[in-house]
Amino acid sequence: MTPQIGLVCFAIILASWFGGVKYYKGIPAGLVAIAVGMIIAWGSNLFGLGLGGLSVKGVGDAFASFGFSVPIPAFGEVFSGFEFLGIILVTAIPFGIYDLVEAMDNVESAEAAGDEYPTTRVLTADGVVSLIGCLMGNPFINAVYIGHPGWKAMGGRIGYSAATGIMVIVLSWFGIISVLLALVPVGRDLADPALHRHADWRAGVPDHAGQACASDRACAYAASRRVGQAADRHHARLDHQCRAEGGRTCRRQGG
């Protein structure tokens, strides 16, 4: 809905991922995209354009909800929805099959990077955490997310996932997500799968785009995942060439 923000920020991400562009003092492309998106959105208010729908009043209202809120089960809301089960299954079954296949693909991707994980345990954890999140009122399923070779190459280990998961929980429990939504345009959020997607569902709570339409998010994620899978395959090929040629290919590729 706001291509002036989304396309610019998406270009920033692509320039970094595929163009090798390095930003000032190594600032991550995702952080640059956030900053640029905010500048465009808030700057547009000076000209009465209102791109992104951000306002000072909205920020003030968001701070009003700031504070610790204990998560409570949502059993009533969950089970009352069973009357719509026939309609829900039309999308739930295909999406479940897609998520299953994608999870197995991503386990395979991790194996290509030298890390083997038992598929059954991975899928079980994925499903169990999704059910727990659902019963706590979270409409977004968990996912075995893509990008393992890339995160590993950047130095990420289990602590990376743990830290991002804890951070998302803190942001949710203290109402900080509402403040972020009031400060950062959602259009930029959909253009930036790099910065936070790895943590969104692992924490079992909605991410900071939690107010977006689930169907729109599914479409956006499917596209970003396809891009990520292509990148994984590229890294896997390079890793294979490195091992076969004693590292010469890696050196030619700049490490």
Side-chain angles (χ1 to χ4, degrees):
M1 294 175 65
T2 52
Q4 302 92 331
I5 298 174
L7 291 179
V8 171
C9 295
F10 190 47
I12 292 173
I13 297 294
L14 291 181
S16 175
W17 279 19
F18 300 107
V21 174
K22 303 295 183 183
Y23 296 106
Y24 181 70
K25 291 189 174 181
I27 298 175
L31 189 57
V32 175
I34 289 176
V36 171
M38 292 177 65
I39 291 172
I40 295 175
W42 286 101
S44 70
N45 290 345
L46 299 176
F47 302 96
L49 299 176
L51 299 177
L54 304 182
S55 67
V56 175
K57 180 181 181 302
V59 175
D61 293 342
F63 272 104
S65 64
F66 185 83
F68 182 72
S69 299
V70 178
I72 57 175
F75 298 149
E77 289 82 355
V78 170
F79 290 104
S80 65
F82 272 74
E83 63 178 299
F84 305 105
L85 190 60
I87 300 175
I88 294 173
L89 288 178
V90 173
T91 53
I93 292 176
F95 195 78
I97 295 173
Y98 165 79
D99 197 53
L100 170 68
V101 174
E102 185 201 18
M104 292 189 294
D105 281 346
N106 293 336
V107 171
E108 181 82 10
S109 171
E111 186 174 349
D115 298 308
E116 296 185 18
Y117 298 95
T119 305
T120 301
R121 286 177 56 189
V122 170
L123 294 176
T124 301
D126 187 17
V128 169
V129 174
S130 292
L131 289 173
I132 293 173
C134 176
L135 293 174
M136 298 298 290
N138 174 25
F140 306 116
I141 66 168
N142 222 286
V144 181
Y145 203 69
I146 196 166
H148 183 101
W151 302 119
K152 182 179 179 180
M154 288 163 35
R157 297 296 184 266
I158 190 172
Y160 176 82
S161 290
T164 50
I166 292 171
M167 178 59 69
V168 172
I169 290 177
V170 170
L171 293 177
S172 301
W173 285 4
F174 286 89
I176 303 174
I177 288 178
S178 297
V179 177
L180 291 177
L181 283 170
L183 290 172
V184 181
V186 175
R188 186 231 49 85
D189 170 84
L190 293 177
D192 175 22
L195 185 68
H196 60 82
R197 291 285 177 247
H198 196 62
D200 287 349
W201 288 312
R202 289 195 175 219
V205 293
D207 69 353
H208 66 71
Q211 294 180 358
C213 172
S215 61
D216 289 345
R217 290 167 61 88
C219 294
Y221 289 175
S224 67
R225 285 169 176 166
R226 285 194 293 272
V227 173
Q229 286 169 339
D232 280 353
R233 289 192 293 271
H234 172 69
H235 284 298
R237 285 196 298 271
L238 287 183
D239 291 342
H240 178 73
Q241 291 172 347
C242 285
R243 289 192 294 270
E245 301 181 21
R248 292 190 300 276
T249 302
C250 275
R251 287 192 289 273
R252 288 201 301 273
Q253 295 286 344

